[in-house]
Amino acid sequence: MALLGNSSADARAVMRLRVCYAALIFVLAVFGVRLFYVQIIRYDHYKKAALSDQLKQYDIPASRGIISVHEGGTTVPIVLNQQLYTLYADPVYIKDPGSVADKITRAIGGSADTYESLMRTKDSRYVILAKKLTEAQHKKFVGLKLAGVGTQEQDYRTYPQGTMAAQLLGFVSNDGAGKYGLEQALNTQLKGVAGQLKAITDINGVPLAASKNNTQTQPVAGDDLLLTLDLSIQQQTEALLKKGVEHSKATSGSAVVIDPQTGAIKAMANYPTYDPSNYANVEDASLFNNQAVSHPIEVGSIMKSLTTAAALDTGAIRANQTYYDPAHFTVDEFNITNIEEDGGAGTRSIADILNLSLNTGATWELMQMGGGDINRKARDTWYNYLTNHYLLGKVTGVEQGYEATGYVPSPQNNGAGINLTYANTAFGQAMTATPVQMAGALSAVVNGGTYYRPHLVDSATAANGKITKKTPEVVKRGIVSNQVTSEIIPLLQNVVDKHYFDRSFDQSKYMVGGKTGTAQVAMPGGGYSDSLFNGTYMGFVGGDKAQYVIVVFIQHPTIGGYAGTAAAQPVFGDIAHMLIDNSFVAPKSR
C-alpha cells in the first residue's frame, strides 16, 4: 500500500513540474515573441521614441550675403553683417525658472520677470528670451553654465552708409526674412541655405560630442551682390532730391538715374527716407516703399516725348513739319486746351508741341496716328506703343519688392468717352506709370530703339567664390527706329535750351534734353483736384550719345507755379550738372 501511495505522489509531483515547466516555456516564448517584435519588427519606431527626449535638432543660420556698390574703380559695402546672439531656453530642462532668470539678469541685464514667464511657457521646447546679445554678453552668459538655456549666433544687418538707398535696399526682419526693396526681391539668393545639427544630448540637454549619432550639415552662405549703383551718384542724387523736395514744400519725391545703353541703374533715390538699422522705430510704414518702383502716378506732359516719338515712328508725322493748331479740340463734348503761354491758335511745329507743352499738339499727333481723327485705329496704335513698345502697364522686372504695374486704359470703346480718355493719355493723364518705367521707355527712345531691362545687380559672388556677371538683358528691339532717335534728341535739346535753368548747359560739349510735366492729382471719388499737382521731369545727358536718362517725380509741391517747372525741373538740372561737373559724362568728341 505504501509503495502504491508513493508512486501516486511522485506522479503528481512530476506533473506539477511539467506544468510549471510548460508555463515557464510559454512565458519565455511570449517574452521572446515580444522582444522579437520590439527589437526587430518595430526597431525604428521604438528607437525614435527612445531618442525623442534626447535627440535635438538645431538650425544653423547661413551668413547673409553682403551688398556693395561701385565707387570709382573700386567697390564699397553698403550692407554688412554684425554677429550677435539670440538667447533661448528649453523649458523642459529648467527646474527653477525663478533662480535661472535671476542669474541671467545679473549677467546680461533685462527683466527677470519676463525671463521667468517665458521659461514657464507650456508645450514648447524652444523659447526666445532675448535677441541681439553682444559678444561680451554672450561670454558672461556662457560662464553661468545653465542647463536648458543657450545662445545661438545670428547675423544682423548693418549699414555703413547710414540711410543711403534705404528704400532700394529694404531691411531684414528679426526672423531673418527680407522685407521691401532688394532684400525682399532677392531674399532667397541673399539668405543662403541654413545648416542643420542633430545631436544626442544628456539629461540636461547638453549635446554629447562623442556620440556617433551626432550629424551636422554646414550652412551655405548667401550670395554677395555688387550693385550697379555708383556711390557718389547715389549720394549726390539723394542730396539734390532732398533739397528739391524741401524747397518746393512737397510731400515726397523720387528720382532715377539709368544708363540707357545697358539698363543699369546708377542711382535710385527717395525722400523722405528712414534708417534701415532702426526700421522697427518707423511709425509710417509708407516710408518703406520705394516710390520709384511702387508708386505710379499720372505722369503729365513728359508723356509728350513718347507720344511724339510714336507718331514719328509710325510715319504719321515728320519731325520738320508744321500744322495748324486751333488751341482747343472738342473731344467727346469736352474741350482740350493749353496753358495760357501757348500763344493761341496758329501754325505750330513739332518742336513747338514739346517746347510749349501743347496738349492740343499731343492730341493732334494722336489724331494723325488715326489718319486724322481719334478713332479705333488711333487708339489701337497708341495703345500698342504704350504697352508693347514702351512696356508701360507691366512690371519692368527690376530687383525690387512691390513693383507696381501702373495703368494703361484699354483702347476698346467703353461707352464712357474713350476718345477723350485717349486724348488725355497722349499728354500723360488718365494713365499712370512709375519713374523706373518712364526711365526704361525714354532710354529705348534715345538709344536707338533697344529696351534694356532696368536692373540693379551688376554681379553675384557665391559662397564657393564663383562670380556671375549680369549682362544687359535685351527685352525688346525696334522700340523706335534709329531715325526717330536722331530726331527726338535734338527736339528735346531744344526744350532745354528754351527753358530757364539756374545754370545753362553748353550743348556744344554735351547734349542735354528733357521735358517737364505737371499733372493734376486724381481724386478718389472721381475727377481731379484743383489744388494738388504732381511735378515730373524726364530727360537725358550725354556727349556723343545719351549716357544717362534722369527721371524726377515730385509729389504735391506747394511752391507755386507749374509743378513740373517749379519743382521737378530744378532737380533734373542739378543732377545733370552734377554728372557733368564730376566727369561722369564724356563730352562730345567732335
Side-chain angles (χ1 to χ4, degrees):
M1 295 292 293
L3 291 173
L4 289 173
N6 288 339
S7 296
S8 177
D10 289 343
R12 287 195 297 272
V14 170
M15 181 60 67
R16 283 196 297 270
L17 287 172
R18 288 176 175 173
V19 170
C20 290
Y21 181 74
L24 178 62
I25 293 298
F26 176 78
V27 170
L28 290 174
V30 169
F31 276 105
V33 171
R34 181 61 180 172
L35 286 172
F36 178 82
Y37 177 77
V38 170
Q39 293 185 343
I40 304 301
I41 297 177
R42 297 282 284 169
Y43 171 78
D44 289 337
H45 169 76
Y46 286 104
K47 180 181 179 182
K48 290 178 182 177
L51 291 175
S52 62
D53 288 336
Q54 289 183 276
L55 181 62
K56 299 294 183 294
Q57 181 171 308
Y58 304 92
D59 281 338
I60 306 172
S63 180
R64 197 172 181 91
I66 65 173
I67 303 174
S68 302
V69 298
H70 293 275
E71 184 182 28
T74 186
T75 62
V76 294
I78 59 172
V79 183
L80 293 169
N81 296 318
Q82 178 184 12
Q83 191 177 78
L84 299 174
Y85 296 84
T86 296
L87 181 66
Y88 66 90
D90 184 343
V92 168
Y93 294 108
I94 300 173
K95 307 306 180 186
D96 187 352
S99 174
V100 173
D102 286 338
K103 291 178 181 178
I104 293 173
T105 302
R106 286 195 296 271
I108 66 170
S111 168
D113 290 340
T114 300
Y115 295 146
E116 181 177 354
S117 176
L118 290 170
M119 286 186 286
R120 294 187 184 278
T121 302
K122 302 294 185 182
D123 302 322
S124 177
R125 301 296 303 272
Y126 183 82
V127 178
I128 294 177
L129 303 179
K131 291 185 174 183
K132 296 187 177 182
L133 270 61
T134 64
E135 181 69 24
Q137 289 175 311
H138 165 68
K139 288 180 178 179
K140 286 183 180 180
F141 166 78
V142 170
L144 298 177
K145 298 181 180 179
L146 298 174
V149 187
T151 57
Q152 188 176 46
E153 296 176 359
Q154 185 171 344
D155 287 338
Y156 288 89
R157 296 305 231 181
T158 61
Y159 304 87
Q161 301 299 330
T163 63
M164 193 188 84
Q167 284 93 347
L168 181 155
L169 294 171
F171 58 86
V172 179
S173 64
N174 282 335
D175 60 2
K179 302 293 184 181
Y180 297 91
L182 197 78
E183 295 277 19
Q184 176 174 312
L186 301 181
N187 182 60
T188 300
Q189 185 175 2
L190 284 164
K191 74 177 182 180
V193 180
Q196 195 172 81
L197 171 65
K198 293 181 180 179
I200 301 296
T201 67
D202 64 16
I203 194 171
N204 293 318
V206 178
L208 301 175
S211 174
K212 65 179 181 180
N213 293 306
N214 287 0
T215 61
Q216 185 174 26
T217 302
Q218 291 296 328
V220 179
D223 288 355
D224 293 338
L225 300 181
L226 174 61
L227 304 188
T228 57
L229 297 183
D230 182 279
L231 180 68
S232 178
I233 297 177
Q234 178 71 28
Q235 288 176 328
Q236 294 184 76
T237 298
E238 289 189 7
L240 295 171
L241 178 66
K242 178 178 183 291
K243 171 188 168 185
V245 170
E246 292 177 345
H247 175 72
S248 62
K249 301 177 182 178
T251 58
S252 63
S254 53
V256 172
V257 180
I258 190 171
D259 178 352
Q261 310 300 328
T262 65
I265 294 171
K266 298 302 180 180
M268 183 178 279
N270 294 273
Y271 187 79
T273 187
Y274 74 99
D275 182 356
S277 64
N278 293 308
Y279 70 87
N281 297 328
V282 174
E283 296 180 357
D284 182 5
S286 67
L287 283 179
F288 297 144
N289 282 313
N290 181 356
Q291 290 196 10
V293 302
S294 67
H295 187 59
I297 64 171
E298 297 187 37
V299 300
S301 291
I302 62 174
M303 180 58 74
K304 291 168 185 170
S305 306
L306 302 184
T307 310
T308 301
L312 288 169
D313 198 53
T314 60
I317 66 172
R318 300 183 311 278
N320 60 354
Q321 82 175 89
T322 60
Y323 72 101
Y324 179 75
D325 193 310
H328 78 278
F329 283 111
T330 301
V331 181
D332 291 338
E333 300 181 357
F334 284 86
N335 275 336
I336 294 174
T337 59
N338 301 313
I339 59 176
E340 58 268 25
E341 288 86 352
D342 70 340
T347 300
R348 298 294 180 198
S349 66
I350 304 304
D352 290 334
I353 294 175
L354 296 172
N355 181 48
L356 298 176
S357 197
L358 299 177
N359 294 341
T360 51
T363 303
W364 175 82
E365 289 177 331
L366 178 62
M367 290 176 174
Q368 304 319 298
M369 286 189 267
D373 196 10
I374 302 178
N375 49 33
R376 183 59 189 264
K377 178 183 177 183
R379 299 196 305 269
D380 284 346
T381 300
W382 181 221
Y383 179 82
N384 179 50
Y385 270 84
L386 286 171
T387 60
N388 294 324
H389 288 245
Y390 303 143
L391 304 185
L392 303 180
K394 55 192 73 175
V395 296
T396 66
V398 67
E399 305 95 329
Q400 289 288 282
Y402 301 113
E403 185 183 5
T405 61
Y407 169 72
V408 176
S410 168
Q412 294 180 345
N413 192 341
N414 57 9
I418 190 63
N419 288 334
L420 176 64
T421 297
Y422 260 69
N424 286 337
T425 63
F427 47 86
Q429 299 263 191
M431 53 73 60
T432 63
T434 63
V436 74
Q437 287 176 315
M438 296 302 288
L442 183 64
S443 291
V445 169
V446 300
N447 74 10
T450 300
Y451 191 106
Y452 292 99
R453 188 180 305 283
H455 63 278
L456 286 160
V457 175
D458 193 350
S459 65
T461 303
N464 62 6
K466 180 182 178 181
I467 298 175
T468 302
K469 176 73 174 178
K470 185 166 186 177
T471 57
E473 180 184 350
V474 175
V475 179
K476 195 169 186 177
R477 299 186 189 276
I479 303 304
V480 296
S481 67
N482 280 315
Q483 177 66 26
V484 171
T485 294
S486 68
E487 292 170 342
I488 201 71
I489 284 176
L491 286 170
L492 293 175
Q493 285 182 272
N494 177 68
V495 176
V496 167
D497 288 340
K498 297 293 178 61
H499 285 73
Y500 172 77
F501 287 86
D502 287 342
R503 293 170 58 199
S504 61
F505 294 96
D506 184 353
Q507 299 273 13
S508 67
K509 293 183 178 180
Y510 303 96
M511 60 178 187
V512 183
K515 179 75 185 75
T516 60
T518 298
Q520 289 177 281
V521 175
M523 302 302 290
Y528 290 90
S529 170
D530 292 328
S531 59
L532 291 177
F533 297 86
N534 291 322
T536 59
Y537 200 100
M538 181 169 72
F540 59 85
V541 58
D544 293 331
K545 61 183 180 181
Q547 292 175 245
Y548 299 95
V549 161
I550 305 165
V551 177
V552 178
F553 281 14
I554 304 294
Q555 314 279 336
H556 309 167
T558 57
I559 192 176
Y562 295 109
T565 302
Q569 179 176 293
V571 178
F572 168 84
D574 287 345
I575 295 174
H577 276 296
M578 176 269 291
L579 292 170
I580 292 172
D581 294 344
N582 289 275
S583 299
F584 290 110
V585 182
K588 294 179 179 179
S589 59
R590 57 188 182 280

